[in-house]
Amino acid sequence: MNLALFDLDGTLLQTDSDHAFNEHVLRLGWADGAAFRRENDRFYAQYQAGVLDIHAYIDFATRPWRDRRADELAAGLRHFVEQIVRPALPVASADLVQRHRDAGDHLAIITATNDFITRPIADLLGVPTLIATELERDALGRATGAIRGTPSFREGKVTRVQAWLADAGLSLGDFERSWFYSDSTNDLPLLEAVTHPVATNPGTALEQIARERGWQVLKFFEAAAA
């Protein structure tokens, strides 16, 4: 029995869906252009540097749309997936997921990006199990700007994976082989927790760590861009 875990942004998806959705919000006219873009870029730089305050970020990122009508949100999200996400999903990403599916492995996408944005992306990849940062909802189902439970971020990814497996009476140690595919040093805690860490389309820092530790390095974005 084997387990395959996949980060999403920068790993399977040749963009950052969180940052890209915020740009989409601007195109929809749901936020002030200059000020919102500056903050969006500032938070993204914090994420890349490994110093993101994810609670502050979620409050910022959901503010322009969390009071909008459900049908308006659904339409905006559908357009985002079709116009932005689908073109940023290389065939090699779907093939990687499919190889593990064909092998009978347990599959999950685990991402720091919130569940509102990433649920349709996981569906696009045909992966039912999505472990994402969950948005707190009010009694009417509207996002409040807070996070429900443990964010799926840095050490929180390990916590969330362990909780998901525990619900099924399992643990990471129950799997003969466990893979985690990621591009970012933010994911070092979970990369270090599996038997087969794979630096996938990695940034410079993660690639250096991977080569020092003898981890597999997988690059297919370069081929997709050629």
Side-chain angles (χ1 to χ4, degrees):
M1 185 166 59
N2 298 322
L3 174 70
L5 306 171
F6 305 90
D7 176 50
L8 184 61
D9 300 319
T11 299
L12 296 178
L13 197 62
Q14 201 169 4
T15 189
D16 184 286
S17 61
D18 222 344
H19 187 269
F21 186 76
N22 289 343
E23 288 292 318
H24 183 62
V25 163
L26 288 172
R27 287 189 292 272
L28 291 172
W30 292 355
D32 173 68
F36 187 79
R37 178 170 284 116
R38 279 196 303 271
E39 280 296 277
N40 190 34
D41 290 343
R42 184 176 69 85
F43 278 115
Y44 186 49
Q46 289 179 357
Y47 170 78
Q48 291 179 310
V51 294
L52 177 68
D53 179 344
I54 194 168
H55 295 275
Y57 172 71
I58 289 293
D59 177 62
F60 156 78
T62 60
R63 201 175 302 147
W65 57 261
R66 61 195 186 217
D67 291 328
R68 294 188 175 271
R69 298 190 320 270
D71 61 334
E72 188 179 16
L73 283 176
L77 186 59
R78 282 195 304 270
H79 186 267
F80 171 70
V81 171
E82 290 303 316
Q83 299 299 316
I84 307 300
V85 172
R86 194 180 290 273
L89 187 62
V91 172
S93 295
D95 288 347
L96 175 64
V97 173
Q98 188 62 44
R99 285 199 298 274
H100 281 284
R101 183 183 293 114
D102 290 344
D105 300 335
H106 291 262
L107 308 181
I109 289 173
I110 178 157
T111 174
T113 301
N114 71 71
D115 52 351
F116 171 72
I117 295 172
T118 55
R119 179 68 268 172
I121 304 175
D123 291 344
L124 189 62
L125 283 159
V127 180
T129 299
L130 171 69
I131 302 172
T133 294
E134 297 182 6
L135 300 179
E136 181 185 82
R137 302 278 180 171
D138 65 16
L140 297 177
R142 298 173 302 193
T144 66
I147 292 170
R148 185 169 72 89
T150 301
S152 181
F153 181 56
R154 297 181 65 86
E155 295 82 359
K157 284 194 175 183
V158 179
T159 301
R160 293 288 304 282
V161 166
Q162 289 173 333
W164 166 59
L165 292 174
D167 284 344
L170 297 168
S171 69
L172 277 170
D174 291 326
F175 295 91
E176 180 180 352
R177 290 184 291 176
S178 54
W179 289 267
F180 178 42
Y181 296 86
S182 175
D183 70 305
S184 173
T185 53
N186 281 303
D187 286 337
L188 278 173
L190 186 52
L191 284 164
E192 292 170 341
V194 298
T195 64
H196 289 65
V198 185
T200 310
N201 305 307
T204 303
L206 180 59
E207 182 169 0
Q208 180 178 342
I209 291 169
R211 297 200 183 280
E212 289 172 353
R213 300 187 185 185
W215 295 352
Q216 182 181 358
V217 175
L218 181 62
K219 297 183 180 182
F220 47 75
F221 285 172
E222 295 170 358

